[in-house]
Amino acid sequence: VELEKLASRKLRLSAKTTMTIAEKLYTQGLISYPRTETNIFPKEMNLTSLVEAQTGDNQWGAFAGRILGEWNGPHPRAGKKSDQAHPPIHPIKHTSGLQGDEAKVYEFIVRHFLACVSQDAVGKETTVNIDIAGEKFVGHGLTVLQRNYLEVYVYDRWSDKEIIDYEQIREFEPTSIDIVDGSTEAPKLLTEADLIALMDKHGIGTDATHAEHIETVKSREYVFIEDRDK
């Protein structure tokens, strides 16, 4: 479920396309078993060798090297799910010979794995209380101090609203003050990732059948795709 949802949001790929590609990569020996929700790496699993296999890549190889050197080896985050049969989805060996969507899915799995066994990003959130001619305003923003896993996991942004360091600022001259009209908007359409999450929540289908269920209702025109993001 998580791979399908993340690929839908981050790569704009349908659940069916994602799982078809993942299964092909699995049969080629490039990734581990993809139909699992396990997110706990077994303690006896040799993660170092998996990271070492990626050090030669020209896109994320340097980051893999930092995990082994600067950060003293992989330190996976502690998950909560285990099916007692399969480890979390991860790359088995390195390849640079894939094309198109297959390359995108493989790259996503590798980057996700490296991010999971690296260091947390470090930042601080700032709240600014502003007084302009007696009118009170509040601003919020984030300052990223150490990017760490964000360097390899290019699909994540901590915040769309970064803010400067106001610790030493007591007064400033605003560049502009605008009054903007707005109105209540209708709810956004469901994305495929939203639909998968709702199916999982309400027990509709299984990890193995979510993609097929969605393709069925699309083919019968019970639902329509408005654009590639829906």
Side-chain angles (χ1 to χ4, degrees):
V1 174
E2 286 304 312
L3 176 58
E4 294 171 338
K5 289 192 295 184
L6 288 171
S8 176
R9 291 190 178 115
K10 311 295 187 182
L11 307 180
R12 301 294 185 255
L13 295 177
S14 71
K16 184 176 182 179
T17 298
T18 298
M19 294 314 298
T20 298
I21 292 173
E23 287 171 354
K24 183 177 180 180
L25 296 176
Y26 170 62
T27 59
Q28 292 174 338
L30 296 176
I31 67 170
S32 61
Y33 182 69
R35 293 191 180 275
T36 178
E37 292 303 300
T38 297
N39 57 16
I40 303 173
F41 283 103
K43 293 181 179 180
E44 65 276 10
M45 189 169 176
N46 187 353
L47 298 177
T48 298
S49 64
L50 297 175
V51 176
E52 286 175 344
Q54 301 296 330
T55 54
D57 190 89
N58 59 12
Q59 295 187 72
W60 53 79
F63 187 86
R66 287 185 66 193
I67 294 174
L68 298 172
E70 180 182 338
W71 294 326
N72 300 313
H75 299 283
R77 287 161 179 74
K80 297 181 180 180
K81 297 179 181 179
S82 176
D83 59 14
Q84 304 299 321
H86 306 284
I89 303 169
H90 62 274
I92 298 295
K93 59 185 180 182
H94 177 262
T95 182
S96 58
L98 300 173
Q99 300 292 327
D101 289 341
E102 289 184 7
K104 288 169 62 176
V105 172
Y106 176 78
E107 177 179 347
F108 176 79
I109 290 172
V110 173
R111 288 183 180 275
H112 191 276
F113 167 71
L114 293 177
C116 285
V117 299
S118 64
Q119 297 290 308
D120 292 340
V122 178
K124 62 180 180 179
E125 188 173 14
T126 301
T127 299
V128 183
N129 295 297
I130 306 166
D131 186 320
I132 301 178
E135 296 291 337
K136 308 295 184 181
F137 301 89
V138 178
H140 302 279
L142 182 72
T143 302
V144 179
L145 303 177
Q146 299 176 32
R147 291 184 56 78
N148 296 340
Y149 90 90
L150 291 172
E151 293 179 13
V152 73
Y153 199 67
V154 296
Y155 318 97
D156 252 8
R157 295 181 64 183
W158 253 15
S159 174
D160 291 330
K161 189 177 181 182
E162 292 195 21
I163 197 170
I164 64 172
D165 188 351
Y166 276 89
E167 285 188 2
Q168 304 302 321
I169 299 175
R170 294 293 175 266
E171 294 184 4
F172 69 94
E173 188 73 25
T175 55
S176 65
I177 301 175
D178 303 311
I179 298 177
V180 180
D181 290 332
S183 59
T184 303
E185 297 181 352
K188 293 182 179 180
L189 296 174
L190 289 175
T191 65
E192 188 164 330
D194 295 331
L195 183 55
I196 293 170
L198 288 170
M199 292 172 70
D200 187 47
K201 177 181 178 181
H202 295 287
I204 301 173
T206 65
D207 297 350
T209 61
H210 285 149
E212 290 300 326
H213 284 323
I214 292 172
E215 289 302 312
T216 297
V217 297
K218 283 160 59 177
S219 66
R220 294 178 180 175
E221 299 187 349
Y222 297 157
V223 298
F224 296 90
I225 300 176
E226 184 170 281
D227 58 49
R228 191 169 176 81
D229 295 342
K230 296 295 184 286

